[in-house]
Amino acid sequence: MYKEYHKCWYKMIVAKRDLENSQAIIDGILLELTKTASQLKDVTTSGSHLSDKMSSLISAKIDGEEIIKYQRVLYEHRKNIVDQKLEDLKSSKDLDDIIYHLKFISKFKTREVARVISYSREYTYELISKIRDQIKQIEKEIDDELRQKK
């Protein structure tokens, strides 16, 4: 169960990062539009290269806003899925799920996790290490998958 949750959670984080990057691009376009508009005020001749630049910046802004709209929908959808998976994870009786929830979601220290699950700290470290390896593998697979799509 924790593998499914982590996969959904990581995809949500990637969607949030993409949304924030797109918003930063739009902010840059708006800044450039402002500069170009102030330069355009100073130019009295029509047919200037600045008006072409304004047109392309406005077009890029409109395209970017459309992308942001879809990225926001994707992020919200993935966030809802993560919330559902978290509820399933909390109710799971599987030892790995319990450890994952305690260590990676609730941020318990290893000795606290060991106390809750009634295992030695050393064995708990081994279990956490195994889970951490699985997490890294999941993130690597998702990153590779996203790179192939681009």
Side-chain angles (χ1 to χ4, degrees), residues 73-86:
V73 168
L74 177 64
Y75 170 71
E76 290 298 325
H77 175 70
R78 287 189 172 163
K79 187 171 176 10
N80 289 336
I81 291 173
V82 166
D83 292 342
Q84 292 169 356
K85 295 282 184 187
L86 181 59

mmCIF file with all atom_site columns, all heavy atoms in Angstrom, residues 73-86:
data_model
loop_
_atom_site.group_PDB
_atom_site.id
_atom_site.type_symbol
_atom_site.label_atom_id
_atom_site.label_alt_id
_atom_site.label_comp_id
_atom_site.label_asym_id
_atom_site.label_entity_id
_atom_site.label_seq_id
_atom_site.pdbx_PDB_ins_code
_atom_site.Cartn_x
_atom_site.Cartn_y
_atom_site.Cartn_z
_atom_site.occupancy
_atom_site.B_iso_or_equiv
_atom_site.pdbx_formal_charge
_atom_site.auth_seq_id
_atom_site.auth_comp_id
_atom_site.auth_asym_id
_atom_site.auth_atom_id
_atom_site.pdbx_PDB_model_num
ATOM 1   N N   . VAL A 1 73 ? -5.584  21.682 -12.711 1.00 0.00 ? 73 VAL A N   1
ATOM 2   C CA  . VAL A 1 73 ? -6.562  20.594 -12.643 1.00 0.00 ? 73 VAL A CA  1
ATOM 3   C C   . VAL A 1 73 ? -5.857  19.273 -12.339 1.00 0.00 ? 73 VAL A C   1
ATOM 4   O O   . VAL A 1 73 ? -6.311  18.490 -11.493 1.00 0.00 ? 73 VAL A O   1
ATOM 5   C CB  . VAL A 1 73 ? -7.366  20.494 -13.963 1.00 0.00 ? 73 VAL A CB  1
ATOM 6   C CG1 . VAL A 1 73 ? -8.176  19.216 -14.031 1.00 0.00 ? 73 VAL A CG1 1
ATOM 7   C CG2 . VAL A 1 73 ? -8.260  21.704 -14.136 1.00 0.00 ? 73 VAL A CG2 1
ATOM 8   N N   . LEU A 1 74 ? -4.738  19.022 -13.000 1.00 0.00 ? 74 LEU A N   1
ATOM 9   C CA  . LEU A 1 74 ? -3.967  17.800 -12.766 1.00 0.00 ? 74 LEU A CA  1
ATOM 10  C C   . LEU A 1 74 ? -3.483  17.739 -11.324 1.00 0.00 ? 74 LEU A C   1
ATOM 11  O O   . LEU A 1 74 ? -3.605  16.703 -10.660 1.00 0.00 ? 74 LEU A O   1
ATOM 12  C CB  . LEU A 1 74 ? -2.774  17.733 -13.724 1.00 0.00 ? 74 LEU A CB  1
ATOM 13  C CG  . LEU A 1 74 ? -1.837  16.541 -13.549 1.00 0.00 ? 74 LEU A CG  1
ATOM 14  C CD1 . LEU A 1 74 ? -2.566  15.239 -13.854 1.00 0.00 ? 74 LEU A CD1 1
ATOM 15  C CD2 . LEU A 1 74 ? -0.612  16.694 -14.428 1.00 0.00 ? 74 LEU A CD2 1
ATOM 16  N N   . TYR A 1 75 ? -2.952  18.838 -10.815 1.00 0.00 ? 75 TYR A N   1
ATOM 17  C CA  . TYR A 1 75 ? -2.469  18.872 -9.437  1.00 0.00 ? 75 TYR A CA  1
ATOM 18  C C   . TYR A 1 75 ? -3.600  18.601 -8.443  1.00 0.00 ? 75 TYR A C   1
ATOM 19  O O   . TYR A 1 75 ? -3.437  17.798 -7.518  1.00 0.00 ? 75 TYR A O   1
ATOM 20  C CB  . TYR A 1 75 ? -1.799  20.217 -9.139  1.00 0.00 ? 75 TYR A CB  1
ATOM 21  C CG  . TYR A 1 75 ? -1.494  20.408 -7.677  1.00 0.00 ? 75 TYR A CG  1
ATOM 22  C CD1 . TYR A 1 75 ? -0.488  19.677 -7.058  1.00 0.00 ? 75 TYR A CD1 1
ATOM 23  C CD2 . TYR A 1 75 ? -2.223  21.298 -6.907  1.00 0.00 ? 75 TYR A CD2 1
ATOM 24  C CE1 . TYR A 1 75 ? -0.230  19.823 -5.710  1.00 0.00 ? 75 TYR A CE1 1
ATOM 25  C CE2 . TYR A 1 75 ? -1.962  21.463 -5.562  1.00 0.00 ? 75 TYR A CE2 1
ATOM 26  C CZ  . TYR A 1 75 ? -0.957  20.720 -4.973  1.00 0.00 ? 75 TYR A CZ  1
ATOM 27  O OH  . TYR A 1 75 ? -0.703  20.875 -3.638  1.00 0.00 ? 75 TYR A OH  1
ATOM 28  N N   . GLU A 1 76 ? -4.730  19.251 -8.637  1.00 0.00 ? 76 GLU A N   1
ATOM 29  C CA  . GLU A 1 76 ? -5.864  19.052 -7.719  1.00 0.00 ? 76 GLU A CA  1
ATOM 30  C C   . GLU A 1 76 ? -6.354  17.596 -7.756  1.00 0.00 ? 76 GLU A C   1
ATOM 31  O O   . GLU A 1 76 ? -6.678  17.019 -6.720  1.00 0.00 ? 76 GLU A O   1
ATOM 32  C CB  . GLU A 1 76 ? -7.018  20.007 -8.064  1.00 0.00 ? 76 GLU A CB  1
ATOM 33  C CG  . GLU A 1 76 ? -6.725  21.455 -7.761  1.00 0.00 ? 76 GLU A CG  1
ATOM 34  C CD  . GLU A 1 76 ? -6.471  21.733 -6.296  1.00 0.00 ? 76 GLU A CD  1
ATOM 35  O OE1 . GLU A 1 76 ? -7.101  21.074 -5.442  1.00 0.00 ? 76 GLU A OE1 1
ATOM 36  O OE2 . GLU A 1 76 ? -5.627  22.592 -5.992  1.00 0.00 ? 76 GLU A OE2 1
ATOM 37  N N   . HIS A 1 77 ? -6.392  17.021 -8.959  1.00 0.00 ? 77 HIS A N   1
ATOM 38  C CA  . HIS A 1 77 ? -6.808  15.623 -9.100  1.00 0.00 ? 77 HIS A CA  1
ATOM 39  C C   . HIS A 1 77 ? -5.841  14.698 -8.356  1.00 0.00 ? 77 HIS A C   1
ATOM 40  O O   . HIS A 1 77 ? -6.270  13.807 -7.612  1.00 0.00 ? 77 HIS A O   1
ATOM 41  C CB  . HIS A 1 77 ? -6.877  15.250 -10.581 1.00 0.00 ? 77 HIS A CB  1
ATOM 42  C CG  . HIS A 1 77 ? -7.185  13.815 -10.834 1.00 0.00 ? 77 HIS A CG  1
ATOM 43  N ND1 . HIS A 1 77 ? -8.421  13.258 -10.583 1.00 0.00 ? 77 HIS A ND1 1
ATOM 44  C CD2 . HIS A 1 77 ? -6.397  12.810 -11.292 1.00 0.00 ? 77 HIS A CD2 1
ATOM 45  C CE1 . HIS A 1 77 ? -8.389  11.974 -10.887 1.00 0.00 ? 77 HIS A CE1 1
ATOM 46  N NE2 . HIS A 1 77 ? -7.171  11.677 -11.320 1.00 0.00 ? 77 HIS A NE2 1
ATOM 47  N N   . ARG A 1 78 ? -4.555  14.925 -8.545  1.00 0.00 ? 78 ARG A N   1
ATOM 48  C CA  . ARG A 1 78 ? -3.563  14.082 -7.881  1.00 0.00 ? 78 ARG A CA  1
ATOM 49  C C   . ARG A 1 78 ? -3.589  14.281 -6.371  1.00 0.00 ? 78 ARG A C   1
ATOM 50  O O   . ARG A 1 78 ? -3.377  13.341 -5.613  1.00 0.00 ? 78 ARG A O   1
ATOM 51  C CB  . ARG A 1 78 ? -2.177  14.362 -8.445  1.00 0.00 ? 78 ARG A CB  1
ATOM 52  C CG  . ARG A 1 78 ? -2.034  13.787 -9.835  1.00 0.00 ? 78 ARG A CG  1
ATOM 53  C CD  . ARG A 1 78 ? -0.661  13.837 -10.366 1.00 0.00 ? 78 ARG A CD  1
ATOM 54  N NE  . ARG A 1 78 ? -0.596  13.103 -11.627 1.00 0.00 ? 78 ARG A NE  1
ATOM 55  C CZ  . ARG A 1 78 ? 0.375   13.223 -12.491 1.00 0.00 ? 78 ARG A CZ  1
ATOM 56  N NH1 . ARG A 1 78 ? 1.389   14.030 -12.233 1.00 0.00 ? 78 ARG A NH1 1
ATOM 57  N NH2 . ARG A 1 78 ? 0.359   12.527 -13.610 1.00 0.00 ? 78 ARG A NH2 1
ATOM 58  N N   . LYS A 1 79 ? -3.874  15.490 -5.932  1.00 0.00 ? 79 LYS A N   1
ATOM 59  C CA  . LYS A 1 79 ? -3.973  15.761 -4.495  1.00 0.00 ? 79 LYS A CA  1
ATOM 60  C C   . LYS A 1 79 ? -5.144  14.985 -3.888  1.00 0.00 ? 79 LYS A C   1
ATOM 61  O O   . LYS A 1 79 ? -5.014  14.405 -2.802  1.00 0.00 ? 79 LYS A O   1
ATOM 62  C CB  . LYS A 1 79 ? -4.140  17.257 -4.251  1.00 0.00 ? 79 LYS A CB  1
ATOM 63  C CG  . LYS A 1 79 ? -4.090  17.670 -2.802  1.00 0.00 ? 79 LYS A CG  1
ATOM 64  C CD  . LYS A 1 79 ? -4.032  19.169 -2.681  1.00 0.00 ? 79 LYS A CD  1
ATOM 65  C CE  . LYS A 1 79 ? -4.073  19.710 -1.300  1.00 0.00 ? 79 LYS A CE  1
ATOM 66  N NZ  . LYS A 1 79 ? -3.953  18.840 -0.190  1.00 0.00 ? 79 LYS A NZ  1
ATOM 67  N N   . ASN A 1 80 ? -6.261  14.935 -4.587  1.00 0.00 ? 80 ASN A N   1
ATOM 68  C CA  . ASN A 1 80 ? -7.415  14.158 -4.106  1.00 0.00 ? 80 ASN A CA  1
ATOM 69  C C   . ASN A 1 80 ? -7.088  12.669 -4.018  1.00 0.00 ? 80 ASN A C   1
ATOM 70  O O   . ASN A 1 80 ? -7.479  11.996 -3.058  1.00 0.00 ? 80 ASN A O   1
ATOM 71  C CB  . ASN A 1 80 ? -8.627  14.373 -5.009  1.00 0.00 ? 80 ASN A CB  1
ATOM 72  C CG  . ASN A 1 80 ? -9.208  15.759 -4.871  1.00 0.00 ? 80 ASN A CG  1
ATOM 73  O OD1 . ASN A 1 80 ? -9.035  16.416 -3.856  1.00 0.00 ? 80 ASN A OD1 1
ATOM 74  N ND2 . ASN A 1 80 ? -9.883  16.215 -5.904  1.00 0.00 ? 80 ASN A ND2 1
ATOM 75  N N   . ILE A 1 81 ? -6.377  12.160 -5.010  1.00 0.00 ? 81 ILE A N   1
ATOM 76  C CA  . ILE A 1 81 ? -5.989  10.752 -4.997  1.00 0.00 ? 81 ILE A CA  1
ATOM 77  C C   . ILE A 1 81 ? -5.062  10.471 -3.813  1.00 0.00 ? 81 ILE A C   1
ATOM 78  O O   . ILE A 1 81 ? -5.217  9.471  -3.109  1.00 0.00 ? 81 ILE A O   1
ATOM 79  C CB  . ILE A 1 81 ? -5.315  10.345 -6.331  1.00 0.00 ? 81 ILE A CB  1
ATOM 80  C CG1 . ILE A 1 81 ? -6.348  10.347 -7.459  1.00 0.00 ? 81 ILE A CG1 1
ATOM 81  C CG2 . ILE A 1 81 ? -4.652  8.976  -6.210  1.00 0.00 ? 81 ILE A CG2 1
ATOM 82  C CD1 . ILE A 1 81 ? -5.758  10.135 -8.830  1.00 0.00 ? 81 ILE A CD1 1
ATOM 83  N N   . VAL A 1 82 ? -4.111  11.371 -3.576  1.00 0.00 ? 82 VAL A N   1
ATOM 84  C CA  . VAL A 1 82 ? -3.186  11.204 -2.450  1.00 0.00 ? 82 VAL A CA  1
ATOM 85  C C   . VAL A 1 82 ? -3.952  11.193 -1.128  1.00 0.00 ? 82 VAL A C   1
ATOM 86  O O   . VAL A 1 82 ? -3.671  10.375 -0.247  1.00 0.00 ? 82 VAL A O   1
ATOM 87  C CB  . VAL A 1 82 ? -2.098  12.301 -2.457  1.00 0.00 ? 82 VAL A CB  1
ATOM 88  C CG1 . VAL A 1 82 ? -1.344  12.350 -1.138  1.00 0.00 ? 82 VAL A CG1 1
ATOM 89  C CG2 . VAL A 1 82 ? -1.132  12.076 -3.611  1.00 0.00 ? 82 VAL A CG2 1
ATOM 90  N N   . ASP A 1 83 ? -4.926  12.071 -0.991  1.00 0.00 ? 83 ASP A N   1
ATOM 91  C CA  . ASP A 1 83 ? -5.725  12.103 0.236   1.00 0.00 ? 83 ASP A CA  1
ATOM 92  C C   . ASP A 1 83 ? -6.464  10.777 0.452   1.00 0.00 ? 83 ASP A C   1
ATOM 93  O O   . ASP A 1 83 ? -6.529  10.261 1.576   1.00 0.00 ? 83 ASP A O   1
ATOM 94  C CB  . ASP A 1 83 ? -6.718  13.266 0.207   1.00 0.00 ? 83 ASP A CB  1
ATOM 95  C CG  . ASP A 1 83 ? -6.039  14.622 0.284   1.00 0.00 ? 83 ASP A CG  1
ATOM 96  O OD1 . ASP A 1 83 ? -4.855  14.683 0.696   1.00 0.00 ? 83 ASP A OD1 1
ATOM 97  O OD2 . ASP A 1 83 ? -6.681  15.630 -0.080  1.00 0.00 ? 83 ASP A OD2 1
ATOM 98  N N   . GLN A 1 84 ? -7.010  10.218 -0.625  1.00 0.00 ? 84 GLN A N   1
ATOM 99  C CA  . GLN A 1 84 ? -7.701  8.927  -0.524  1.00 0.00 ? 84 GLN A CA  1
ATOM 100 C C   . GLN A 1 84 ? -6.730  7.803  -0.158  1.00 0.00 ? 84 GLN A C   1
ATOM 101 O O   . GLN A 1 84 ? -7.024  6.962  0.696   1.00 0.00 ? 84 GLN A O   1
ATOM 102 C CB  . GLN A 1 84 ? -8.398  8.591  -1.843  1.00 0.00 ? 84 GLN A CB  1
ATOM 103 C CG  . GLN A 1 84 ? -9.562  9.488  -2.171  1.00 0.00 ? 84 GLN A CG  1
ATOM 104 C CD  . GLN A 1 84 ? -10.055 9.280  -3.603  1.00 0.00 ? 84 GLN A CD  1
ATOM 105 O OE1 . GLN A 1 84 ? -9.485  8.515  -4.371  1.00 0.00 ? 84 GLN A OE1 1
ATOM 106 N NE2 . GLN A 1 84 ? -11.120 9.982  -3.954  1.00 0.00 ? 84 GLN A NE2 1
ATOM 107 N N   . LYS A 1 85 ? -5.571  7.806  -0.799  1.00 0.00 ? 85 LYS A N   1
ATOM 108 C CA  . LYS A 1 85 ? -4.568  6.767  -0.533  1.00 0.00 ? 85 LYS A CA  1
ATOM 109 C C   . LYS A 1 85 ? -4.045  6.876  0.897   1.00 0.00 ? 85 LYS A C   1
ATOM 110 O O   . LYS A 1 85 ? -3.746  5.868  1.533   1.00 0.00 ? 85 LYS A O   1
ATOM 111 C CB  . LYS A 1 85 ? -3.395  6.870  -1.515  1.00 0.00 ? 85 LYS A CB  1
ATOM 112 C CG  . LYS A 1 85 ? -3.750  6.593  -2.951  1.00 0.00 ? 85 LYS A CG  1
ATOM 113 C CD  . LYS A 1 85 ? -3.889  5.133  -3.197  1.00 0.00 ? 85 LYS A CD  1
ATOM 114 C CE  . LYS A 1 85 ? -4.153  4.884  -4.677  1.00 0.00 ? 85 LYS A CE  1
ATOM 115 N NZ  . LYS A 1 85 ? -4.462  3.505  -4.947  1.00 0.00 ? 85 LYS A NZ  1
ATOM 116 N N   . LEU A 1 86 ? -3.934  8.097  1.406   1.00 0.00 ? 86 LEU A N   1
ATOM 117 C CA  . LEU A 1 86 ? -3.471  8.292  2.777   1.00 0.00 ? 86 LEU A CA  1
ATOM 118 C C   . LEU A 1 86 ? -4.438  7.663  3.773   1.00 0.00 ? 86 LEU A C   1
ATOM 119 O O   . LEU A 1 86 ? -4.017  7.022  4.742   1.00 0.00 ? 86 LEU A O   1
ATOM 120 C CB  . LEU A 1 86 ? -3.277  9.776  3.084   1.00 0.00 ? 86 LEU A CB  1
ATOM 121 C CG  . LEU A 1 86 ? -2.779  10.117 4.487   1.00 0.00 ? 86 LEU A CG  1
ATOM 122 C CD1 . LEU A 1 86 ? -1.440  9.450  4.768   1.00 0.00 ? 86 LEU A CD1 1
ATOM 123 C CD2 . LEU A 1 86 ? -2.680  11.623 4.652   1.00 0.00 ? 86 LEU A CD2 1
#
